[in-house]
Amino acid sequence: MTKDKEHSIPDAGRIHGGFADLVDYQLGVWREDYAEVVLDVRPQHLNRSGVLHGGAVSTLIDTACGYAGCFCTVEGNFRRALTLSLETQFIGAITEGKRVTVTARKTGGGRSIFFSTAEVRDQDGKLLAQGTGTFKYRRGSEDPEGVPAEAPKPLRRS
C-alpha cells in the first residue's frame, strides 16, 4: 500500500456507542502520518458563552493526532494508541452551525511512542486552535500492519 493510499471511512476499528459517537465527529481523511477530523458545531458542543467548548476542541485535537499515528497499512486491521500528554493552545472561537476541521500530522517517534501536531480551522480557514500530543502504541499496534479487528465486546455493568 502506498503512502498516499487512504482507507475507506469510517474507521473499521472504531468501537460503536462510545465517546466518538457522543461527540459525533467524523474522520474525513486518513492516510499514513495524516488525519483530518471534522465536526459540525451543534448546541451540545457549546459552552455557556455560546461558543465551541474548549474540551470539545481538545477532544478533536487528541482524536486527530491519535489517528495520524495509527494508520494501518492493512485495510481491515487496526492500530490503537493511548495519549500520554496533550497540549492545546486556543486562538479563536466558533459558534453553532459552523464546521471545524482538525488537520493532524505524525511528526516523529519510535517503535512504541509517537508525536503529532494538529491545527483546528473553521470553514473559512481561520486558525482556531493548535495542539501537540505524545502517544504510546498499545500492544500489537507498534507494527504498521496492525492487528485484525475484533467485534466490540459488550459493556460490563456492575
Side-chain angles (χ1 to χ4, degrees), residues 86-107:
L86 185 70
E87 184 176 326
T88 303
Q89 297 87 40
F90 301 98
I91 300 165
I94 193 163
T95 56
E96 180 183 349
K98 308 287 180 153
R99 173 174 278 204
V100 294
T101 300
V102 183
T103 303
R105 289 174 175 77
K106 178 181 168 187
T107 58

Side-chain angles (χ1 to χ4, degrees), residues 58 61 85-89 130-134:
S58 294
I61 290 171
S85 70
L86 185 70
E87 184 176 326
T88 303
Q89 297 87 40
Q130 57 191 18
T132 59
T134 304

Side-chain angles (χ1 to χ4, degrees), residues 1-149:
M1 186 169 288
T2 67
K3 185 171 182 157
D4 294 332
K5 176 74 175 169
E6 293 177 10
H7 283 200
S8 59
I9 308 296
D11 169 18
R14 180 171 161 179
I15 298 172
H16 299 284
F19 189 65
D21 293 327
L22 179 68
V23 177
D24 199 28
Y25 60 75
Q26 302 299 315
L27 179 60
V29 176
W30 192 23
R31 60 180 180 260
E32 188 173 358
D33 299 339
Y34 182 86
E36 288 181 11
V37 172
V38 179
L39 177 73
D40 292 317
V41 181
R42 295 192 312 276
Q44 64 266 33
H45 300 123
L46 305 179
N47 64 20
R48 60 191 177 125
S49 296
V51 297
L52 182 61
H53 193 285
V57 174
S58 294
T59 292
L60 296 172
I61 290 171
D62 184 37
T63 299
C65 283
Y67 271 117
C70 287
F71 181 81
C72 187
T73 59
V74 176
E75 193 159 2
N77 282 3
F78 68 91
R79 299 170 80 190
R80 298 218 192 274
L82 54 97
T83 307
L84 296 176
S85 70
L86 185 70
E87 184 176 326
T88 303
Q89 297 87 40
F90 301 98
I91 300 165
I94 193 163
T95 56
E96 180 183 349
K98 308 287 180 153
R99 173 174 278 204
V100 294
T101 300
V102 183
T103 303
R105 289 174 175 77
K106 178 181 168 187
T107 58
R111 180 155 171 80
S112 62
I113 305 283
F114 69 91
F115 310 99
S116 296
T117 63
E119 291 184 343
V120 181
R121 294 186 181 271
D122 68 12
Q123 69 273 3
D124 298 322
K126 179 183 172 191
L127 184 64
L128 303 171
Q130 57 191 18
T132 59
T134 304
F135 301 83
K136 180 173 179 52
Y137 288 114
R138 293 190 57 190
R139 187 172 302 139
S141 294
E142 305 91 342
D143 187 333
E145 292 184 1
V147 295

